[in-house]
Amino acid sequence: MQTKLHRWTVADPGRRFDDLFNFVHDPATLLAAFDRVAGNQGARTPGVDGLTATDVEESVSVPGFLNDLRAALKDGSFRPLPVRERSIPKPGGSGKVRKLGIPTIADRVVQAALKLVLEPIFEADFKPVSYEFQPRRRAQDAIAEIHYFGTRGIAGCWMRISRRASTRSTTRLSWTECVTG
């Protein structure tokens, strides 16, 4: 499903997706979302309802849980519960704490389903040289790329830009043109 959504978005950037809600409450999407939530390290931590992913698997049963969740999503009765707040120490050993909000398993599954559906649509808009809010891309990767071009490839980059500028009527060129070649 994610591949299809991405392919459709790339093929027609102006496309309107009118039936995304059907993708969100689709049984296959909810199952994939539950698998992601259950495989996450936080799956062992209960929300305000006291349920963990293991509790759902052992006592409630995953198909029954997902069917109830799907029905609540479809009829509009699903409402996220308040998060359970927990104070955890800040990194660095400063002695300060920060609040961590822990959603319920149902809320996490719905969030994961929304991410599964929306991510491929928005990912299609990012450029290959873009590092903001993308999976497996960090600020450190952007800095490493800048360092690479700054120490090795900058001369060739400026040569490409000057060649392009001489063949165009406008001289507005961006750094992304340098990076993408």
Side-chain angles (χ1 to χ4, degrees):
M1 176 210 38
Q2 283 190 306
T3 307
K4 280 184 187 177
L5 286 170
H6 189 270
R7 195 176 324 127
W8 292 340
T9 305
V10 170
D12 183 8
R15 182 183 179 133
R16 286 187 50 118
F17 291 94
D18 297 328
D19 59 349
L20 289 181
F21 186 66
N22 290 329
F23 284 124
V24 172
H25 67 73
D26 182 76
T29 304
L30 290 175
L31 184 59
F34 182 83
D35 287 342
R36 286 188 178 201
V37 169
N40 190 327
Q41 183 178 353
R44 298 180 306 230
T45 309
V48 293
D49 61 356
L51 282 177
T52 64
T54 306
D55 294 337
V56 170
E57 291 170 344
E58 292 175 355
S59 62
V60 181
S61 93
V62 175
F65 173 77
L66 293 179
N67 285 338
D68 293 346
L69 184 59
R70 182 172 191 261
L73 285 169
K74 281 181 78 168
D75 67 21
S77 65
F78 174 80
R79 296 288 179 265
L81 293 174
V83 295
R84 183 171 72 112
E85 286 191 9
R86 184 97 172 158
S87 294
I88 62 170
K90 284 189 173 182
S94 64
K96 295 180 181 177
V97 294
R98 68 179 179 94
K99 293 203 185 259
L100 176 69
I102 304 166
T104 64
I105 289 294
D107 295 346
R108 289 184 226 178
V109 170
V110 172
Q111 289 171 8
L114 285 165
K115 182 179 183 278
L116 285 169
V117 172
L118 295 176
E119 187 177 50
I121 295 169
F122 288 102
E123 284 292 318
D125 290 337
F126 286 123
K127 299 205 180 307
V129 296
S130 177
Y131 282 87
E132 70 273 1
F133 309 110
Q134 291 196 50
R136 295 174 299 284
R137 291 205 139 192
R138 309 169 304 158
Q140 292 87 342
D141 298 331
I143 291 167
E145 192 167 311
I146 290 168
H147 179 70
Y148 172 79
F149 283 109
T151 58
R152 293 182 193 90
I154 199 76
C157 176
W158 292 124
M159 298 268 300
R160 277 193 304 227
I161 287 178
S162 64
R163 259 184 284 175
R164 285 187 186 156
S166 66
T167 60
R168 291 186 183 174
S169 59
T170 179
T171 56
R172 284 188 67 205
L173 294 167
S174 69
W175 176 253
T176 57
E177 290 186 53
C178 175
V179 176
T180 57

